Each structure stands twice: as structure tokens, then as C-alpha cells.
Amino acid sequence: MTELVILVLLVAGIVLVTARWKVSPFLALMGAAILGAFAFRLPLSEIVTTVTTAFGNTLGNIGLVILFGTMIGVILERSGAAIAMAEALIKVIGTRFPNLTMSLIGYIVSIPVFCDSGYVILNSLRKAITVRTGVSALATSIALMTGLYATHTLVPPTPGPLAAAENIGITDNLGLIIAIGLPVAAVAAIAGLIYASTFARKEFTPIPATSEEEIDTRSYDELRESYGKLPNAFLAFFPILLPLVLICVGSVVKLPSQPIGEGRAFDIVSFLGTPVIALILGLVAAAFLLRGHGKLTRFNQQITDSVHIAAPILLITGAGAAFGAVLAASPLTGFLADNLSGLGLGLAVPFLIAAALKTAQGSSTVAMVSTSALVAPMLASLGLDSSVGMVLSVLAVGAGAMVVSHANDSYFWVVSQLGRIPVATAYRTLTVATAIEGLAAFGAIMVASVLLL
């Protein structure tokens, strides 16, 4: 029981210092790792080694994947490729179903691009579609928000799912995470879309615009014009599709059935399907989106900006792994194994822990990193230590990390402010939407567990 009390105090401490005092999650997690090592009475000679080894191994395994994924996302954002993808989908779907259009666009764009950035990029397009179709701005805001959110927490190469996969120890099977994560995310997005559609004719009193907001919310035509000639739609989608296909195919050829044998073709496909190599090729494809004079300078600047964006994520991921390593080396593992194995909670454990952390401190990425580090030592006692069990655990963490977005989440403010949705209305709609979405995703995961485990 003492071990559980220590764990609760450590988690509460992480939530308190990050949510109330705005301490960096990196420092909070690293501090929890050090304090936890003393509290659990790890040998002094092993504390530093446990923390630094886990930190270094994690960055070595997943750091380049996060970096290259972020680089692709930044180039897609700044080259106009996200707008090009949106317009391509509009040509296919049309404007008859504006909520479906926004949900689908968000679902695709947020695979490599952070949901916050994705919403900022696509907000002008959302406004244009809203005006063109006469549907409620509240409905299109919810549809875009939930579409972006679905893949943000469930489909690599977004950093959150990647970090969770690393902590749980299933990065060698990212293809399976993507293969199961995409339909689970689709279920979540559909749930969000259905909820958004209930507000199709609901009006609300928008927040008055400020002069600064007017500058930041240009019309769709002005935004589109600022990019000049948009990239070809195929070239816009290619940097996303190429690594996803390579990673999935690389996982398929490694199945026990060995669909292509073990010869030269197997070696080549396995190499190209390695996440780092697949994302490097995706980055090469993204580089072709840059046009005109000075494209090399712009490419270098965007790569530099990508490093700045990825650095905090890398540090948080490494610190989360260090915290998890301390927990794994403590008596807590045995205590939890003895007390949880007979409860039959299974996938509900990672889901509920992630939901609690997300709701308390706001960041989905921090919730995913912390929860995955916490539950990794428990997987055997929960009956989730098989490859499929670990993949479903990653997805359960991602589903929990959706529940719920409110005032302590930057995404909540991005959506509510750009959509000019009053806070009270946002709590009644946006927050509820993320709860519905997370629960729908977890329901899909439970169905998958019945079929696959």
C-alpha cells in the first residue's frame, strides 16, 4: 500500500506543478523520477544509471522519428500543402456536406501536423465553407476540431503516439499501430462529426473581434493568395502517404506468415519500412513542395524551426521514460501485479489513467508520455504483454488523452478563440465533443480487443 501512496503523490505532484504553477513538464517528470527513486528506496548507486539510461535509450530509439515527423509537418504547413489537400477534398466531396468535409480534412492533416497548428491553418477555409453553405459556425468548428483531434492522439508519426509506443516497447511494430489506429481514429472522428451535426443550425453570439484577431484571421482567399501557387494535390498528399505506406508494408512483410519470404526483397522492404527511413523519404518528398527563389534558404529555416518545435517534445518524452524506468525498478511493479491481475480491468487501466492526467493538466502529449511510462510495467499483469496487447494499450492511452479538453488545454483556446465561441458555450460543446470522441475511440478499441486478443 505504501508503494501506491507514493505513486499517487508523484502523479498528483506532476499534475499540480504543471497545471497550477506552469512548471515545464520536462522538469516535473524528471523531478518525479528522482524523488520517486528515493521514495521507493532504489540503491543510490543505481539511481543515476536508471534515469540516464532510460532517457538516452528513448531519445536514441524515437528521437529521429519525432524530428523527421515534425519537419514534414512544418513544411506541409508553410508550403500551402495543407490548403492544397483541403481543396482537393472539397473537389471530391463538394460543399453539400460541410461538416463531413471539415472532419475529413482534419483527420488527414493532423497525422503529421499538430492539431493546434492544423486548426490555425484550416480555420480560414472553415470560415469560407461556413459562409458558402450557411451552416452554423459552431458545427464546422466542432467538426474540424474533432477530425484533427482523432489522428493527433491515435496515429503515428504524431509525437504523442510515438512516445507512448516507445515507452510501452512496441516501436518495432508501428505499422500495426497505424493499421489499427486509423480505423479507431475514424470511429472517433465519426462520433465527433455526428455530435457536430446536431449543431448544424444552432446559432450563438460570437466573441467580438479584436484588431489583433482581425489580422490573424484573414479571409480564405487572402490566406490562399499568400501561398502563391499551391502545390499539386498529389505532391501535397505524398509526404504523408509515402511513410505511412512504407511503415505498414514493412510491418506486413514481417508477419509470421512471411508473405514475401526472407530474401533480398524482404531485406529491402524491411529497411524502407523502418520508421526513420520512411520518414526521411517523406521529408525528401516534402522538400519538393518548396518552389521559387530561395527555396534552399526556406528549407533550412523550416528545418531549424522544426528542431525548435520538436526539442521540448523530445525532452518530455525522455523524462517520461526516466520516470517509467524508476517505477519499473521499484517494488511498485510487484505490488500492482499482485493487486490488479485479478480485477479484469485490462485496457481500462491505461485509458482511465490517461483520461485523468489529460483532464487534470491539459496536454495530451504529456498525458500519453506519463501514462505509457506508468502502465508499461503493468502490462503483463493486465494480460497485455503480447504485440497486439501493447498496440491496443498505446491506442487506449491515446483515447484517454482526448478526455477532456477544457480551459487548461491550449487546443481548447485555439478552437474557441478562432471560432469566436464564448467560453461557456465552448465548455458545453467543445469539451463534451472531446469526451464523446475519447469514449467512442475506447469503445472501438474494446471491440478490436475482442477480435484480436
Side-chain angles (χ1 to χ4, degrees):
M1 183 59 70
T2 303
E3 292 85 357
L4 187 59
V5 172
I6 294 172
L7 173 62
V8 170
L9 290 174
L10 289 173
V11 173
I14 292 171
V15 172
L16 179 64
V17 300
T18 56
R20 182 170 182 179
W21 296 328
K22 310 302 180 185
V23 172
S24 164
F26 164 72
L27 293 177
L29 287 166
M30 192 59 72
I34 300 296
L35 291 175
F38 284 106
F40 287 121
R41 298 184 180 179
L42 268 61
L44 291 178
S45 59
E46 297 179 8
I47 292 177
V48 173
T49 302
T50 300
V51 170
T52 57
T53 300
F55 186 88
N57 287 345
T58 298
L59 293 189
N61 291 334
I62 206 70
L64 290 177
V65 175
I66 292 176
L67 272 174
F68 287 125
T70 304
M71 290 173 185
I72 292 172
V74 168
I75 292 176
L76 291 178
E77 174 186 338
R78 299 185 184 180
S79 65
I83 297 293
M85 287 188 284
E87 291 202 338
L89 288 173
I90 289 173
K91 288 180 181 178
V92 175
I93 302 174
T95 56
R96 291 181 56 199
F97 308 101
N99 293 328
L100 173 61
T101 301
M102 297 316 304
S103 181
L104 183 57
I105 290 169
Y107 178 89
I108 294 173
V109 168
S110 199
I111 292 174
V113 178
F114 276 91
C115 57
D116 304 63
S117 299
Y119 196 93
V120 172
I121 297 165
L122 297 172
N123 184 56
S124 292
L125 175 64
R126 180 197 64 77
K127 291 199 303 178
I129 290 178
T130 300
V131 171
R132 192 182 309 174
T133 60
V135 73
S136 168
L138 185 59
T140 55
S141 295
I142 296 171
L144 178 57
M145 174 194 188
T146 53
L148 287 161
Y149 214 24
T151 48
H152 174 74
T153 61
L154 292 167
V155 182
T158 306
L162 279 175
E166 168 61 26
N167 286 341
I168 286 174
I170 195 65
T171 50
D172 60 340
N173 214 341
L174 283 181
L176 188 58
I177 298 176
I178 294 170
I180 301 176
L182 283 170
V184 169
V187 170
I190 290 170
L193 172 62
I194 293 171
Y195 180 71
S197 297
T198 63
F199 296 93
R201 300 301 167 193
K202 184 176 180 61
E203 300 298 332
F204 66 99
T205 303
I207 300 172
T210 64
S211 58
E212 180 181 355
E213 189 179 10
E214 290 288 359
I215 295 173
D216 290 338
T217 55
R218 295 169 291 179
S219 71
Y220 174 67
D221 290 337
E222 290 171 332
L223 178 67
R224 191 188 186 288
E225 185 178 349
S226 70
Y227 288 108
K229 183 179 179 181
L230 293 178
N232 173 274
F234 174 78
L235 292 178
F237 279 104
F238 195 56
I240 300 176
L241 297 179
L242 177 62
L244 291 181
V245 170
L246 288 175
I247 291 170
C248 289
V249 172
S251 294
V252 168
V253 301
K254 295 177 183 177
L255 291 173
S257 59
Q258 296 180 332
I260 65 171
E262 293 185 340
R264 183 69 172 171
F266 172 83
D267 293 337
I268 293 174
V269 174
S270 297
F271 175 75
L272 294 177
T274 303
V276 171
I277 301 301
L279 285 167
I280 288 175
L281 294 175
L283 178 60
V284 172
F288 284 96
L289 295 170
L290 301 175
R291 304 172 310 280
H293 297 294
K295 59 184 177 182
L296 180 59
T297 301
R298 294 200 307 278
F299 176 79
N300 290 334
Q301 182 59 53
Q302 290 172 18
I303 295 302
T304 300
D305 292 344
S306 302
V307 173
H308 291 162
I309 293 170
I313 300 165
L314 292 171
L315 292 175
I316 292 170
T317 302
F323 180 48
V326 168
L327 297 177
S330 72
L332 177 68
T333 305
F335 174 83
L336 293 174
D338 293 339
N339 289 275
L340 288 177
S341 56
L343 296 180
L345 294 176
L347 290 165
V349 172
F351 173 78
L352 292 173
I353 294 174
L357 285 175
K358 163 64 179 179
T359 303
Q361 54 77 45
S363 169
S364 293
T365 300
V366 172
M368 285 186 274
V369 171
S370 302
T371 303
S372 56
L374 185 62
V375 302
M378 309 180 196
L379 293 182
S381 61
L382 295 172
L384 299 171
D385 52 341
S386 65
S387 293
V388 173
M390 288 191 282
V391 167
L392 293 177
S393 297
V394 171
L395 297 178
V397 169
M402 294 181 183
V403 183
V404 292
S405 176
H406 61 100
N408 60 3
D409 181 8
S410 62
Y411 191 43
F412 175 88
W413 293 109
V414 167
V415 177
S416 62
Q417 295 302 300
L418 289 180
R420 297 183 183 173
I421 303 170
V423 174
T425 303
Y427 262 105
R428 293 195 303 269
T429 56
L430 305 184
T431 300
V432 173
T434 58
I436 292 172
E437 198 172 21
L439 290 171
F442 184 64
I445 293 165
M446 292 304 294
V447 171
S449 71
V450 172
L451 298 175
L452 300 175
L453 283 179

